[in-house]
Amino acid sequence: MTNQSLLENQAQRPRKSEEAIAPQPQQRMLKTISFVLIGVVIMLRKLQFSTGRSLWGDEAKIALNIVNRSYLDLTQVLDYNQVAPIGFLWVEKLSTQIFGATDFALRVFPLVSAIAALFLVYHLAKRYLNPVAVPVAIALFAFLSRQIYYSSEIKQYSSDAMIALLLVSVVYSTSTALTRRQVITFSVVGAIAVWMSHPSIFVLASIALTQIVGQIIRTMRDHKPLHLGSWFITYSIWATSFLAFYVLSLGENSGNDTLLTSWANRRAFPATFPDLDWMFYSLKRFFRKPLDFPEPFFNMVAIAAYIAGMVSLCKRKADGVLPLFLPIMLTLAAAYLYKYPFYSRVVTFLVPFFVLMMAEGVSWLVNAKSRPGFTKTATSFVGFVFIGLLLYVPASQARAYLTPPVTDEEVKPVLAYIQEHWQPNDLIYVFQKSQFQFEFYREQFGFQPEDYVVSVDPDQYVETNFAKVRQLYRKDLRQLCGRDRVWVMISDFKIRPQTRFMLDHVDTLGDRRDTFQSNTPASVTYLYDLRECSGK
């Protein structure tokens, strides 16, 4: 073949976008940066995990369900207004049987999920984003404070994000037809996912819609028949698995009025349909929580980066938009139907999709060609400024997880102090909001059922009748009179008005002989001598 023929053949080949391809040295540098970032943030997550911080209230509630129930009982409605997918509960139960019924054992799966999510973000960023966007996406996702915190919390938030990323990474395919092996793999992965993660159904539905829409477009464009038969087998298995899960678990939890009221009070659902103001408010709120970009400046920077990412991806790699965008829209649709709250931690699984789009947005500026009135250097400089502004917030927040790591309600040091100074006939008066933590750690510190009593629960009266709260506490505290050593134990994230009243009233009944406070101010114990208490 002549040189002329070679040149003609090369000219006829489709040329890849220059913006999507980085030179080999730059690719190696970006890959190195990405893996260094992953290594650093894995250490941050392991550091937070290794501190062994105490369970806070909600963690203790879910932990008690896991430890005290059998696998079969975990398929029933959980105690203490807790909701979690059955698969997650079973993995946690298995972990306690392997490693023991400890907080460390219960945090293993969230930690593994959080680490796996880092590599899945890297995988999706390489698949869909500009090369420059890859380390930006990793840094954004990895250093977000809530992502670090949830990596060692006994909740399904880190596994929700991991499973969402896994589904898009493994199941999403642009092929027109599936092989038998793909049908089996995709069907099994999706069917298991709905039992492991409640919001996985939104991701699976977005994958199905993406495939159907993509094939219809290709069929109309190329005048070829649809090849959805193998996909519909997979969709049917997903739907059957979800239906079984809904009947067994979700259906019973969907009628929990306490949870629905709690979410409605936080504007997790729209007031009416269609309430477009609520939708835009909720999307804007997402950048504040769970993404934690403060308003107004950094919040607007993050929103601008996200919009720029949408535009860039639509122009450069349109098939990457729907897998990253549809899960957000379907979750909002579920909120309009009052089926899933769009608020804070329960939508944490959407964080990677926002982060990937934001990283694409700032990288688009870095790689952009010259604009009217701007040279390419000036445009790239603006892009790097945006990257700096975008990474400043999570980087500054991540410092809090170095020394000392973040804690909420440190009850273990309090219990250790009581144990160390325990004498025969001592009694612990456990503040009601601390009872779940106390119940989880009670045996670990050697306390018997006769060693403690739990205070009344006056929360239902706090907003409407504080006089009723005072009356309940006065009556409840009479049972302590005549004892020479009573430990009043509190572990909460703040000292509430009813807590303050209770403490003030105990002070009037006897003498405070000792005080111990952990590194969280609302986790504290007081030792009282109530022998002279008149029972008033």
Side-chain angles (χ1 to χ4, degrees):
M1 184 179 289
T2 64
N3 290 339
Q4 182 65 28
S5 299
L6 285 171
L7 291 172
E8 288 175 357
N9 285 339
Q10 290 175 355
Q12 290 171 1
R13 294 174 185 169
R15 298 179 64 185
K16 296 181 179 180
S17 169
E18 292 180 0
E19 290 187 0
I21 301 298
Q24 284 295 327
Q26 185 182 356
Q27 287 186 24
R28 287 194 295 269
M29 180 186 70
L30 293 173
K31 185 176 181 179
T32 300
I33 293 172
S34 297
F35 278 100
V36 168
L37 283 170
I38 289 174
V40 169
V41 296
I42 286 175
M43 293 305 298
L44 271 178
R45 281 153 172 73
K46 289 180 66 177
L47 179 62
Q48 178 70 13
F49 171 86
S50 64
T51 60
R53 63 178 176 83
S54 302
L55 302 183
W56 71 284
D58 269 10
E59 278 186 298
K61 291 175 184 178
I62 200 76
L64 287 172
N65 277 284
I66 294 166
V67 171
N68 294 333
R69 291 188 176 210
S70 67
Y71 285 97
L72 183 60
D73 290 338
L74 287 171
T75 64
Q76 307 302 313
V77 175
L78 301 180
D79 295 325
Y80 321 126
N81 284 317
Q82 295 299 297
V83 177
I86 293 172
F88 170 82
L89 295 172
W90 283 3
V91 170
E92 291 288 277
K93 181 71 176 179
L94 179 62
S95 184
T96 63
Q97 292 178 331
I98 295 173
F99 302 110
T102 65
D103 45 22
F104 275 104
L106 289 164
R107 286 177 173 142
V108 168
F109 181 54
L111 177 67
V112 171
S113 297
I115 293 173
L118 294 171
F119 290 97
L120 291 168
V121 166
Y122 174 72
H123 172 74
L124 286 178
K126 282 187 64 179
R127 178 191 291 186
Y128 293 122
L129 307 188
N130 233 304
V132 174
V134 175
V136 178
I138 293 169
L140 270 176
F141 179 74
F143 289 115
L144 286 171
S145 62
R146 291 178 194 273
Q147 297 303 312
I148 300 173
Y149 181 78
Y150 290 147
S151 69
S152 62
E153 178 164 275
I154 308 171
K155 286 286 189 175
Q156 60 269 31
Y157 309 132
S158 65
S159 57
D160 280 349
M162 182 272 291
I163 290 169
L165 289 164
L166 181 67
L167 291 175
V168 177
S169 299
V170 174
V171 178
Y172 178 72
S173 171
T174 56
S175 61
T176 55
L178 299 179
T179 65
R180 181 180 301 177
R181 186 174 182 177
Q182 285 177 316
V183 170
I184 294 172
T185 301
F186 293 178
S187 298
V188 170
V189 169
I192 293 175
V194 298
W195 292 80
M196 294 292 300
S197 169
H198 289 151
S200 64
I201 192 62
F202 305 133
V203 183
L204 290 172
S206 69
I207 290 171
L209 286 173
T210 301
Q211 294 296 340
I212 292 170
V213 170
Q215 288 218 32
I216 290 173
I217 292 174
R218 283 191 293 272
T219 298
M220 295 175 62
R221 182 188 62 202
D222 302 333
H223 303 289
K224 293 181 178 180
L226 288 172
H227 294 281
L228 285 173
S230 54
W231 275 107
F232 274 120
I233 294 173
T234 302
Y235 302 155
S236 299
I237 293 173
W238 293 350
T240 302
S241 180
F242 176 72
L243 181 62
F245 178 63
Y246 187 88
V247 171
L248 184 62
S249 178
L250 281 182
E252 295 181 355
N253 284 305
S254 63
N256 190 320
D257 292 335
T258 302
L259 284 176
L260 288 174
T261 301
S262 173
W263 290 123
N265 291 338
R266 298 171 181 173
R267 294 192 67 184
F269 302 110
T272 59
F273 182 84
D275 185 352
L276 295 180
D277 287 341
W278 173 85
M279 182 181 71
F280 289 114
Y281 163 79
S282 297
L283 288 171
K284 186 172 182 290
R285 179 175 61 183
F286 190 97
F287 286 91
R288 186 178 75 247
K289 192 176 183 179
L291 286 176
D292 285 323
F293 285 93
E295 290 186 304
F297 178 72
F298 287 103
N299 191 269
M300 295 307 297
V301 169
I303 292 173
Y306 181 85
I307 294 172
M310 284 279 291
V311 174
S312 172
L313 210 54
C314 284
K315 289 181 176 179
R316 191 181 57 79
K317 196 175 180 66
D319 64 331
V321 175
L322 288 181
L324 304 181
F325 180 69
L326 274 180
I328 300 167
M329 292 296 101
L330 291 179
T331 308
L332 283 168
Y336 274 102
L337 296 173
Y338 271 66
K339 294 299 182 182
Y340 195 88
F342 197 95
Y343 179 78
S344 186
R345 58 187 182 274
V346 294
V347 289
T348 302
F349 75 99
L350 294 174
V351 165
F353 302 117
F354 278 85
V355 162
L356 288 166
M357 207 72 81
M358 291 156 61
E360 172 69 19
V362 292
S363 71
W364 173 70
L365 282 172
V366 171
N367 287 308
K369 297 178 181 179
S370 60
R371 306 294 184 198
F374 294 92
T375 64
K376 187 180 188 309
T377 302
T379 307
S380 297
F381 176 76
V382 172
F384 282 113
V385 169
F386 256 84
I387 290 176
L389 291 173
L390 208 58
L391 294 180
Y392 171 78
V393 172
S396 60
Q397 292 171 346
R399 290 183 302 174
Y401 292 85
L402 293 173
T403 309
V406 171
T407 57
D408 275 330
E409 302 170 12
E410 275 303 308
V411 68
K412 284 195 287 187
V414 173
L415 294 176
Y417 187 84
I418 297 174
Q419 180 192 45
E420 182 182 352
H421 296 82
W422 187 260
Q423 294 183 16
N425 299 319
D426 279 10
L427 181 73
I428 308 173
Y429 183 73
V430 181
F431 183 54
Q432 183 272 332
K433 284 191 174 295
S434 314
Q435 68 169 319
F436 306 107
Q437 297 137 289
F438 182 86
E439 287 288 352
F440 182 83
Y441 290 115
R442 177 177 64 79
E443 292 185 5
Q444 178 180 330
F445 287 92
F447 298 120
Q448 304 302 314
E450 61 271 18
D451 293 336
Y452 71 99
V453 293
V454 179
S455 76
V456 292
D457 179 10
D459 275 5
Q460 62 268 37
Y461 302 107
V462 170
E463 298 296 331
T464 58
N465 190 348
F466 199 72
K468 181 70 173 178
V469 173
R470 293 195 294 269
Q471 180 183 345
L472 286 171
Y473 270 125
R474 287 192 184 101
K475 182 180 178 180
D476 194 50
L477 290 167
R478 289 174 193 157
Q479 65 181 307
L480 308 178
C481 290
R483 288 182 170 272
D484 63 337
R485 288 175 60 87
V486 176
W487 297 91
V488 175
M489 194 216 83
I490 301 164
S491 186
D492 205 352
F493 68 94
K494 67 177 179 180
I495 297 295
R496 305 167 189 268
Q498 62 268 39
T499 317
R500 176 54 55 198
F501 169 79
M502 182 266 289
L503 290 173
D504 290 343
H505 189 62
V506 180
D507 282 336
T508 67
L509 299 177
D511 297 325
R512 185 183 295 186
R513 297 167 59 180
D514 196 4
T515 299
F516 176 80
Q517 178 178 295
S518 72
N519 61 344
T520 49
S523 296
V524 62
T525 187
Y526 304 101
L527 177 62
Y528 284 92
D529 181 350
L530 301 180
R531 284 175 295 182
E532 303 299 323
C533 172
S534 63
K536 57 188 175 181

